[in-house]
Structure formats: structure tokens, C-alpha cells
Amino acid sequence: IIQARDGSVLESILHEIQALLRMKSQHSHEDAAATNNKLSVLFSSLELIAMPGSFSRVIEMALSTTSRNDAEVKTSSVSLLISQLKSRRRIGFDGRGFVDLSTRLAKMPYQELTDLIGIGSLPIITKAIPDLLNQLPTSVCEGVLKNLWTLSQDEIIRNSSISSTEAFLLGLKKIMLDAVKNDPGSKQTISPAVLRALQKATIGYIFSDLCKNASP
């Protein structure tokens, strides 16, 4: 899927990732813990590198071939995915694969999503709303925002955890603060239509849900 310069460190990392994923896809349980640990470390090493969008298929494969109990691999996979939404794209590198995968995850029902990415990874996605909404068409943003909020509220109901709600609100706060600063040089310019949708959501279902689910 990905090619790197011959003899480069990146080439070595990618070859090792491919080998580890091949072992996982063949359901090889020999030293599975070591395999998962290596994969997590290698994924973490790529977070600061702008990868081509086709690498999203590698991340998706890692998620789909990893047991729900292997939280380390799932968390490192999601962290790598979200890091690519933030990366400066290199000339000739198309990052739409990461946006598409993030959007598909954001639209999943709670149980299906947490089975795929693990419960502990959900806050990573909900906190990433500034980076995700900034790269989506306005027509898609409102639905993604609504579903991410619904996911965070489902976590409260199902697991008595507010981690995803806190992460979502931190992401929302960042968008609002960036809008107030109105910095023309900011990389996180949100369209006026999306800002209006965020304001409508905040005074609408977000505020009412917070009141309803708040601890007495």
C-alpha cells in the first residue's frame, strides 16, 4: 500500500508493520502480546509523520484484526489516525483516506464503534472534532457532530463514564475560541455555516443533554 525510499527508516518501519499485520490476519497467537506491543510502538512512531491517505487502510486493518481486549493496539491505531488529521500534508500526499475513515467511525452506532476501536479510544475521536469538522463539507458536519455527541452520551448511560463528553466539550471549546480569535493565519478556519450549526447544537441538544445527564 505504501512505498518509502529504499534503505530509509520509514521503509523499515512499514515493512515491519506489514509483517506484524500479516501475522495478526492469519490469527497467529504465538507471542501475541509481543506482536501487539511492537505494532503499538511502530504506530506511535509515525504520529509526527504526514502519511499518504492510503495508509488509512493499514489502520483500518489493524483495528479490524485486533481483539476487543487488545486496547493498546486499538488506542495507538486511533491516535495515529487522528494525528493524520492534524498533520501538514506534504505536496502530492492526499489525506482524504484519513478523513473518510474518521468520518465513517464517527457515524457508527456506539456498540459497533467500541467493538472496533475499544471503549478507551472513544475520547480520542470526540476530542478531534476541530480537526475533523475543519476538513468535512458543511453538509456533512452537522450529522457528524450530532452522532459524536450521541456517542459520548451513550458512554455515560452504558459505562457511567464522562471521558468522551469531556473530550467533546474540550474540542468544541477550541473551535469557539479559535472563532473568537478570528486569526486569519489559523489552520483551523471553520466555515460560518458550521459555526452556526455548532451554536445551534450547543444551545439545543448539547445543553439539554448535559442538564439531563448531570449527576444530582
Side-chain angles (χ1 to χ4, degrees):
I1 295 176
I2 309 296
Q3 290 185 342
R5 191 172 66 249
D6 288 347
S8 66
V9 174
L10 181 58
E11 183 188 44
S12 299
I13 292 174
L14 295 177
H15 283 170
E16 183 67 15
I17 287 174
Q18 289 175 346
L20 293 170
L21 288 175
R22 193 176 303 114
M23 290 173 60
K24 289 174 68 64
S25 66
Q26 294 170 351
H27 304 289
S28 173
H29 295 286
E30 184 177 348
D31 208 2
T35 298
N36 289 334
N37 183 62
K38 286 181 183 177
L39 191 58
S40 298
V41 170
L42 292 173
F43 275 176
S44 296
S45 72
L46 295 176
E47 288 187 17
L48 297 179
I49 301 174
M51 302 295 290
S54 56
F55 192 77
S56 63
R57 299 199 294 273
V58 176
I59 296 175
E60 190 169 10
M61 181 180 178
L63 289 170
S64 62
T65 58
T66 300
S67 164
R68 196 173 192 269
N69 297 323
D70 294 330
E72 188 178 15
V73 174
K74 290 187 177 294
T75 299
S76 62
S77 298
V78 174
S79 295
L80 176 56
L81 171 63
I82 298 305
S83 75
Q84 295 304 307
L85 298 180
K86 301 177 182 180
S87 291
R88 291 183 177 180
R89 308 307 322 160
R90 288 191 290 173
I91 295 175
F93 275 43
D94 185 351
R96 284 179 295 180
F98 302 112
V99 177
D100 291 344
L101 177 55
S102 299
T103 303
R104 282 191 282 120
L105 294 178
K107 290 181 175 181
M108 285 183 177
Y110 180 85
Q111 192 61 56
E112 183 181 352
L113 178 61
T114 53
D115 283 347
L116 181 63
I117 69 170
I119 294 174
S121 299
L122 184 54
I124 300 173
I125 292 181
T126 57
K127 190 176 181 179
I129 57 171
D131 303 295
L132 182 55
L133 297 185
N134 187 50
Q135 301 182 61
L136 291 177
T138 302
S139 58
V140 177
C141 286
E142 192 167 355
V144 168
L145 179 73
K146 173 68 173 175
N147 203 60
L148 284 173
W149 178 251
T150 299
L151 288 167
S152 68
Q153 298 310 287
D154 283 345
E155 185 182 57
I156 293 177
I157 295 169
R158 294 171 184 248
N159 296 305
S160 300
S161 172
I162 62 171
S163 297
S164 294
T165 297
E166 287 180 331
F168 180 99
L169 293 175
L170 285 172
L172 187 63
K173 177 182 177 182
K174 184 179 187 305
I175 293 174
M176 297 301 188
L177 287 177
D178 286 347
V180 170
K181 292 176 184 176
N182 196 25
D183 181 2
S186 173
K187 298 291 184 181
Q188 295 291 347
T189 302
I190 301 292
S191 74
V194 173
L195 281 175
R196 286 194 295 271
L198 291 174
Q199 291 164 350
K200 181 180 178 182
T202 300
I203 62 176
Y205 59 82
I206 292 177
F207 182 74
S208 62
D209 285 347
L210 283 173
C211 293
K212 179 175 65 177
N213 294 324
S215 299

